[in-house]
Amino acid sequence: MATLGDIGVSAAINILSAFIFFVVFAILRLQPFNDRVYFPKWYLKGLRTDPTASGAVSKFVNLDYRSYLRFLNWMPDALRMPEPELIDHAGLDSAVYLRIYLIGVKIFVPIAFLVWAILVPVNFTNSTLELASKIANVTSSDIDKFSISNVPLGSQRFWGHVLVAYAITFWACYVLLKEYETVAFMRLQFLASEKRRPNQFTVLVRNVPPDPDESVSELVEHFFLVNHPNHYLTHQVVYNANKLAKLVKKKKKMQNWLVYYNNKYSRDPSKRPFMKTGFLGLWGNRVDAIDHHMSEIAKLSKEIAAERDKVANDPKSIMPAAFVSFKTRWGAAVCAQTQQSRDPTIWLTDWAPEPRDVYWENLAIPYVSLTVRKLIIGVAFFFLTFFFMIPIAFVQSLASLEGIEKAAPFLKPVVEKNFIKSVIQGFLPGIVLKLFLIFLPTILMIMSKFEGFISLSSLERRSASRYYLFNFVNVFLGSIITGSAFEQLDSFIHQSASEIPKTIGVAIPMKATFFITYIMVDGWAGIAGEILMLKPLIIYHLKNFFLVKTEKDREEAMDPGSLGFNTGEPRIQFYFLLGFVYATVTPAILPFIIIFFGLAYVVFRHQIINVYNQEYESAAAFWPDVHGRILTALVISQVLLLGLLSTKEASHSTPFLIALPVLTIWFHMFCKGRYESAFVKYPLQEAMMKDTLERAREPSINLKGYLQSSYIHPVFKACKDDEDEEENGENWENESVIVPTKRQSRRNTPVPSRVSGASSPSLPEAIQEHPKPEKDGIVN
Amino acid sequence: MATLGDIGVSAAINILSAFIFFVVFAILRLQPFNDRVYFPKWYLKGLRTDPTASGAVSKFVNLDYRSYLRFLNWMPDALRMPEPELIDHAGLDSAVYLRIYLIGVKIFVPIAFLVWAILVPVNFTNSTLELASKIANVTSSDIDKFSISNVPLGSQRFWGHVLVAYAITFWACYVLLKEYETVAFMRLQFLASEKRRPNQFTVLVRNVPPDPDESVSELVEHFFLVNHPNHYLTHQVVYNANKLAKLVKKKKKMQNWLVYYNNKYSRDPSKRPFMKTGFLGLWGNRVDAIDHHMSEIAKLSKEIAAERDKVANDPKSIMPAAFVSFKTRWGAAVCAQTQQSRDPTIWLTDWAPEPRDVYWENLAIPYVSLTVRKLIIGVAFFFLTFFFMIPIAFVQSLASLEGIEKAAPFLKPVVEKNFIKSVIQGFLPGIVLKLFLIFLPTILMIMSKFEGFISLSSLERRSASRYYLFNFVNVFLGSIITGSAFEQLDSFIHQSASEIPKTIGVAIPMKATFFITYIMVDGWAGIAGEILMLKPLIIYHLKNFFLVKTEKDREEAMDPGSLGFNTGEPRIQFYFLLGFVYATVTPAILPFIIIFFGLAYVVFRHQIINVYNQEYESAAAFWPDVHGRILTALVISQVLLLGLLSTKEASHSTPFLIALPVLTIWFHMFCKGRYESAFVKYPLQEAMMKDTLERAREPSINLKGYLQSSYIHPVFKACKDDEDEEENGENWENESVIVPTKRQSRRNTPVPSRVSGASSPSLPEAIQEHPKPEKDGIVN
């Protein structure tokens, strides 16, 4: 068990490394040639130009010594921007994301004062651990003296812990309630004040049923003309351009290499660059690199043209899905939030994600396949979660002091030195954990993609909740149970429902020091490292050196990155969990957590303002998840405290804890009913209000023109710039002129068309209004 | 433990009593003076007239001996009516309800053949129990020889049970899938072919926010004119007429007594009837009964008039709720299935229940109160469920043979007699259980009412699921654990998740005989007793004798009753549970269950055709609940089998059972996604289709006139017949003429009205269309 000294060493190391990171960052960011790495957001917004270009400062190194003196200046700068401006600057998602850190501060600062004022004296004035160490030679760290372990069995002092648990719950719920209210209000405000955007008018319809007589495009048009006669405006079918996108990507890469070799050649014109065609350039025929790439590119261009032709003309490349746009937000809101057909597996409508948020690959997955995919991923995730534990436990046991001595006895003299011993005990377990977790988000993201979500935001949200679950089982439970008793794991499954919290609860106080070092490594040094942007920095300079020729290339070489909700949020949640669980057990952990929340808030506020470029804007749609997970952490902490106390023979006070989880769960249900709808539904009143205002302000807007090309697959948009565009352009237009109906037989005509054919009186006008709905396909 | 002989006695008794019930029924139903008790449905439909009136048969007693010979004739009669006709005759709810029994037959008949072909030989050809009885003097009934108890520990024969469990699951899921599909189709067909009904056009809006400037009626009209401009037609506000309804009911009762005393007086004019005014007529002043009632009725009439006046003129008696009707089904479908306001606790819209299905008392419960009520009822139901167990266990232990001998030793010589002993062991436990359960539905119904549901159908559905849960915990688990080891209950809570199924699983085979007797008492004799309609029979004849003067009175004296979904369905479900649990354990129980399902099907089909008068028509909205509960029973049976087998040391075969619950739960999710929406959503395509057809058929229908008075509180409808009607009629009309707006200040005008005032271009037409929306209140 780590002593106070070990923690001191670890703290010193981590504070030092955080400090070094900050200093390095301060130096690097002031260098003009790094400007695009540390301020890409401003470049993307067009608000900042290259300082090297303006000539105001030296080209590469900033020699103005005064700017180095104020090396922590960015912190107040980051805090200065007011929230409304931040929303305007970086979007609501980012602004609300920052609020999660603030909630951490809001919840845990008062709680820290409370527990240090009440529980620390209550715990510290006992001498249980002192006695135990005298009698049974049990060693205990000094931190444990502040913890619940120091209170004797059956003591009346546990009343204090029960009362504090109530206080914590009520305070946390109060903060969460206020916050939910605020965020819901912010979201509605944001949506109401948003400018006109295609996704406000557009609905994604999937699983269009096959029809022998009509193409997907005709079928969609007829269906919506019949069933939403006063509101339907236009639609765009979805093309299966996955292969085309792959080819275009490959061509892009080839072009990069061509530029690289050209640059190389122009620097040293005496030597023509050569390369091998085999794997990674290690073997194969030796060819002239420039010629080879030029021929490859030409080949790819041809392939791309052929593929585009195929996508355009082959009806099989049209997916049974379409983006349907309406004349009013009201019409879109109605269509998105209702069921269209009596068969709930066809004509599935939902709000279209923002164009940049669409995950195109998944648009054509049929309904039945979706449920099967869900089952497969469910089972796979179960195995991932519960079998990942074994390697972690194995490596961690190796990485402990005793493990190292056992595995490599020759290292014994080295590791027994006091300093190295402290390092190993303070650092290694955290680092092992961290390494294991690096590849996880990718795996989880692949799982979510396989499951069939159609927008990046929902992919990230799903991955985040999986990540949280994984973290809870493997990092939290794994660390608690493995370290103290990995052997218990097997028997764990066979334990009773009331035994499990006990087993975990008992182990919790013992693991406090481990989690303190974890917080310092991951939460302090890790966050400080985040601001350095090491990976983007290196990549930018490599690209800059090898590939950049024009200003536009330089633009593309920037990699601002984004918040990464799928990894970032579960990480924060883990601190909430630790905070709640240890608040009553080992109050000493709270200051560490508060420092994490504060530091992370400043760092990420800076990053959001200056660096990150958001990939999409979901208007804080993730908040119900965040709220739910914080409450989950709260309930877990209550159950574990219950388990812990029930081993302390405090039978008077413990039963009073049972009401807490019930109340908390009820609180969750209450919040769900009261606020969740703001995140999942779009009230008709709002839609009508925006429609009416818009109609009053711009009575003559050409909405159809505005919406027509907004949901084009990005690969077609990218083609715009290419030179081989015109010839295909016509193709598109020819393809998609729609004839009102070209059904051959009336006998097997399904219902919608029959209605559209004759009996709906409102239909003729609707058709008249779009006498020739041309260009409803993909039009550039 | 009951022996085969005991079961024989019990079976004989129950078969005999069922037979007697049928014979008595056959005799009673042929008597003309019982005609209205046994064929009320036909009277209500106007398809049958009093046989006594037509003079074709004798007035009271049927003397035609031939009709007695065919005393079981009603059975084929009941089965003869084809399903489409049944739906037409009794509604979809009843027809689908009968299908539940049919599912029981469909599932369990093949299963019974399977287990009798495979498991019974597998079990019977062992001699474990024989050996045990020889060695340890353990007595076992003969039925146990067919059961899993007879297979030795660790035998490879358990593979048979595992395989059969798989077969049962697949067969049950297959039947359920087909059935879900059929019922969903039937529902959609039913809804599509239904005639025009007010609830197709009407939405119930609740929690209309208070407004200082406008009345509820004006506010509702403005809100919907603004937000559904092309679809809004008219609305009816809801009056708080609970007190009025109570007064009217009291008056009705008084009038009944008056008739009674008048009849009494006219029979014996020499003696004027007297009564006492105190409690139940037991004490108080002695007064002339006729005069007293007449003065009371006069007083009540005045009170009613005053109260009606108050309801009409006092704005406080208008509840913040309204029935809003639309011009098209499409408009109503949109409004019912979307959120209106950004605050999800106001302007709550939902489909209006059928007028006869509305539970008027709950229409004005505010949102916040609803969540608190839910919490209260949740906790109350928990206590009801888990503390109800104690009295049952106590009484059951008293009612056992040993209990009786202990409590009343003097009875020992009596109960030790073989026949009485058999009766006690076969009958008593079931009867005790039954007695306890008589009052339960009322309690559960009160709970649901308190929770705030607004339609009778949802009240019944909620009560049914509570009842099922209660049955499971108290009757099923209670009987299994109590009888064998009530002491285990306390330790039960402290048992592990994997121990609990074991504990229950082990006890299951021992309880087979108890459940067999339970099935015979409740399922055979009970069902046969149902057809006798004893309570309605007695009440009808009492009323007929004392109160009936006119033909209309006789009409009212009929009490056809209804299916009683809240008690009937959980009762069927209990048999599904027993069937699944015992299919692999004690196959001998299956024939008893199959007889129950078959008998109940015939009896209830007869009752539905001839007797029950449905209170509402929900178009089989209960089916997802039914489906879900059958699957729950299946999962429970799988888990319990897993628990049982894991005590049998069959470690090769048992683990193969783990996949079963996972697959079953996934199947449930699949069905939910595939079919549930047919029961909770109304697709726009269907709505549009019906609208279009109707517009084509009846272009000039006055929908407003049709809808205007459909959602009037029944107490006002009842008043129509009263003489003191006209004077109030005018009041109503005066009250509800609407002036477009009478807001005083523009400053604190909320948004909807501002929009309606000026900027919505579509509004003027909409208002023009209803230039004077008079009569939107309650109009008689």
Side-chain angles (χ1 to χ4, degrees), chain A residues 227 330 344 495-496 674 751, chain B residues 227 330 344 495-496 674 684 689:
Chain A
N227 292 304
W330 193 92
Q495 264 174 331
S496 98
R674 184 73 185 71
V751 174
Chain B
N227 291 304
W330 194 92
Q495 264 174 331
S496 100
R674 184 74 185 72
L684 294 187
M689 227 145 65

Side-chain angles (χ1 to χ4, degrees), chain B residues 469-589:
Chain B
L469 214 67
F470 184 92
N471 258 353
F472 175 68
V473 172
N474 283 306
V475 184
F476 184 71
L477 291 188
S479 300
I480 286 178
I481 305 294
T482 322
S484 69
F486 182 58
E487 300 76 28
Q488 287 193 9
L489 191 70
D490 186 47
S491 69
F492 196 62
I493 306 165
H494 297 286
Q495 264 174 331
S496 100
S498 61
E499 275 306 310
I500 294 171
K502 275 188 205 169
T503 320
I504 305 170
V506 168
I508 282 176
M510 294 190 269
K511 281 285 150 183
T513 48
F514 164 73
F515 281 116
I516 288 177
T517 56
Y518 178 84
I519 292 169
M520 288 190 291
V521 173
D522 178 81
W524 294 8
I527 292 291
E530 178 75 32
I531 208 169
L532 260 185
M533 305 268 299
L534 217 56
K535 205 180 125 206
L537 182 73
I538 294 168
I539 289 176
Y540 171 74
H541 282 298
L542 283 178
K543 276 191 181 171
N544 208 9
F545 187 73
F546 290 116
L547 300 175
V548 168
K549 278 189 304 187
T550 64
E551 196 60 22
K552 197 172 150 284
D553 290 345
R554 190 165 290 128
E555 197 97 345
E556 274 174 24
M558 290 193 303
D559 175 22
S562 65
L563 262 179
F565 183 80
N566 57 330
T567 54
E569 195 266 351
R571 189 170 156 190
I572 316 175
Q573 290 290 350
F574 192 67
Y575 290 91
F576 278 105
L577 181 65
L578 288 183
F580 285 129
V581 168
Y582 279 103
T584 44
V585 175
T586 311
I589 215 171

Side-chain angles (χ1 to χ4, degrees), chain A residues 138-420:
Chain A
V138 174
T139 55
S140 61
S141 89
D142 309 321
I143 274 188
D144 286 340
K145 292 231 174 76
F146 299 100
S147 88
I148 206 169
S149 318
N150 202 24
V151 181
L153 295 182
S155 163
Q156 290 298 323
R157 294 188 178 207
F158 288 116
W159 278 107
H161 298 85
V162 172
L163 285 180
V164 167
Y166 268 90
I168 289 174
T169 301
F170 282 112
W171 175 246
C173 287
Y174 173 76
V175 171
L176 284 172
L177 182 73
K178 285 282 147 205
E179 205 63 25
Y180 214 152
E181 200 177 328
T182 314
V183 174
F185 180 76
M186 282 167 73
R187 175 180 163 93
L188 289 167
Q189 210 59 22
F190 181 78
L191 291 177
S193 67
E194 231 179 7
K195 281 203 218 86
R196 186 188 312 121
R197 283 162 66 169
N199 50 314
Q200 294 166 347
F201 295 90
T202 308
V203 162
L204 171 63
V205 52
R206 289 195 289 165
N207 288 3
V208 176
D211 187 290
D213 292 328
E214 292 191 314
S215 74
V216 171
S217 177
E218 291 162 334
L219 196 60
V220 167
E221 174 145 34
H222 289 159
F223 185 85
F224 285 95
L225 274 179
V226 167
N227 292 304
H228 297 267
N230 303 316
H231 307 288
Y232 170 79
L233 181 66
T234 180
H235 75 276
Q236 290 151 40
V237 289
V238 176
Y239 289 86
N240 185 351
N242 292 351
K243 197 184 161 195
L244 185 58
K246 214 180 273 172
L247 288 173
V248 168
K249 201 173 154 195
K250 201 171 162 194
K251 186 181 166 192
K252 179 92 198 156
K253 202 173 143 200
M254 283 290 175
Q255 277 168 330
N256 276 343
W257 278 112
L258 181 62
V259 171
Y260 165 77
Y261 285 114
N262 267 336
N263 282 355
K264 205 171 169 185
Y265 182 59
S266 64
R267 268 183 215 129
D268 181 9
S270 65
K271 216 169 79 188
R272 250 187 111 76
F274 280 88
M275 64 171 288
K276 288 176 179 168
T277 55
F279 177 72
L280 283 180
L282 293 179
W283 53 75
N285 295 330
R286 212 176 119 88
V287 292
D288 182 295
I290 294 176
D291 292 350
H292 173 74
H293 277 100
M294 272 166 68
S295 73
E296 282 287 311
I297 288 170
K299 212 160 60 183
L300 275 173
S301 292
K302 255 183 222 158
E303 268 181 63
I304 288 173
E307 175 69 20
R308 188 176 297 141
D309 219 45
K310 200 184 128 207
V311 170
N313 296 320
D314 184 5
K316 270 184 201 149
S317 67
I318 295 178
M319 301 198 205
F323 289 95
V324 179
S325 295
F326 290 82
K327 285 179 205 157
T328 55
R329 292 175 183 84
W330 193 92
V334 163
C335 182
Q337 300 180 75
T338 49
Q339 185 179 324
Q340 307 307 312
S341 159
R342 68 153 65 175
D343 182 348
T345 66
I346 57 171
W347 296 108
L348 299 177
T349 52
D350 208 342
W351 279 110
E354 281 187 305
R356 56 182 170 163
D357 191 14
V358 177
Y359 186 71
W360 295 90
E361 281 83 343
N362 279 350
L363 282 182
I365 300 176
Y367 182 83
V368 179
S369 148
L370 278 182
T371 45
V372 176
R373 278 157 184 254
K374 228 176 202 156
L375 176 68
I376 293 172
I377 291 296
V379 172
F381 180 66
F382 176 84
F383 279 99
L384 178 71
T385 307
F386 284 91
F387 288 76
F388 209 76
M389 221 158 176
I390 293 161
I392 282 203
F394 177 68
V395 177
Q396 272 194 339
S397 71
L398 275 191
S400 73
L401 201 59
E402 298 77 21
I404 291 177
E405 284 175 11
K406 224 184 267 172
F410 53 89
L411 282 179
K412 198 169 179 180
V414 183
V415 297
E416 281 290 307
K417 276 183 187 150
N418 265 338
F419 176 73
I420 292 178

Side-chain angles (χ1 to χ4, degrees), chain A residues 23 63 151 317 377 534 582 727 773:
Chain A
V23 169
L63 296 172
V151 181
S317 67
I377 291 296
L534 217 55
Y582 279 103
E727 40 178 350

Side-chain angles (χ1 to χ4, degrees), chain B residues 74-131:
Chain B
W74 57 270
M75 282 194 176
D77 279 351
L79 295 175
R80 208 166 287 144
M81 186 183 270
E83 198 172 40
E85 201 186 322
L86 186 69
I87 294 174
D88 203 47
H89 175 75
L92 188 65
D93 275 347
S94 310
V96 170
Y97 187 84
L98 285 177
R99 290 187 79 96
I100 309 178
Y101 294 106
L102 266 196
I103 291 182
V105 177
K106 275 187 210 163
I107 287 181
F108 286 114
V109 167
I111 288 179
F113 278 108
L114 182 78
V115 293
W116 278 86
I118 297 181
L119 289 190
V120 168
V122 165
N123 295 336
F124 192 67
T125 51
N126 294 288
S127 49
T128 313
L129 291 178
E130 237 168 286
L131 286 175

Side-chain angles (χ1 to χ4, degrees), chain A residues 185 188-189 192 223 226-231 330 333-335 337-345 347 367-368 371-372 374-375 379 493-499 502 662-663 666 669-670 672-678 681-686 688-689 692-693 695-696 751-752 754-755 759-762, chain B residues 185 188-189 192 223 226-231 330 333-335 337-345 347 367-368 371-372 374-375 379 493-499 502 662-663 666 669-670 672-678 681-686 688-689 692-693 695-696 751-752 754-755 759-762:
Chain A
F185 180 76
L188 289 167
Q189 210 59 22
F223 185 85
V226 167
N227 292 304
H228 297 267
N230 303 316
H231 307 288
W330 193 92
V334 163
C335 182
Q337 300 180 75
T338 49
Q339 185 179 324
Q340 307 307 312
S341 159
R342 68 153 65 175
D343 182 348
T345 66
W347 296 108
Y367 182 83
V368 179
T371 45
V372 176
K374 228 176 202 156
L375 176 68
V379 172
I493 306 164
H494 297 286
Q495 264 174 331
S496 98
S498 61
E499 277 305 308
K502 274 188 205 169
V662 175
L663 283 177
W666 175 76
M669 274 163 23
F670 171 76
K672 203 177 160 82
R674 184 73 185 71
Y675 299 113
E676 201 187 73
S677 73
K681 288 178 182 169
Y682 191 55
L684 294 187
Q685 190 180 20
E686 298 282 305
M688 188 52 96
M689 227 145 65
T692 314
L693 283 174
R695 224 178 296 136
V751 174
R754 186 152 48 89
V755 174
S759 51
S760 162
S762 54
Chain B
F185 180 77
L188 287 166
Q189 212 57 25
F223 185 86
V226 168
N227 291 304
H228 296 268
N230 303 316
H231 308 288
W330 194 92
V334 163
C335 182
Q337 300 181 78
T338 49
Q339 185 178 326
Q340 307 307 311
S341 158
R342 67 152 67 175
D343 182 348
T345 64
W347 295 109
Y367 182 81
V368 178
T371 46
V372 176
K374 228 176 201 157
L375 176 68
V379 172
I493 306 165
H494 297 286
Q495 264 174 331
S496 100
S498 61
E499 275 306 310
K502 275 188 205 169
V662 176
L663 284 177
W666 175 78
M669 276 167 16
F670 171 77
K672 202 179 158 84
R674 184 74 185 72
Y675 299 111
E676 202 189 70
S677 72
K681 288 177 182 169
Y682 190 56
L684 294 187
Q685 191 180 18
E686 297 284 304
M688 188 54 94
M689 227 145 65
T692 315
L693 282 175
R695 227 177 294 137
V751 174
R754 189 151 46 87
V755 174
S759 52
S760 162
S762 55

Side-chain angles (χ1 to χ4, degrees), chain B residues 138-157:
Chain B
V138 174
T139 56
S140 60
S141 89
D142 309 322
I143 274 188
D144 287 339
K145 292 233 174 77
F146 299 100
S147 88
I148 205 169
S149 318
N150 203 22
V151 182
L153 293 183
S155 163
Q156 290 299 324
R157 295 189 177 207

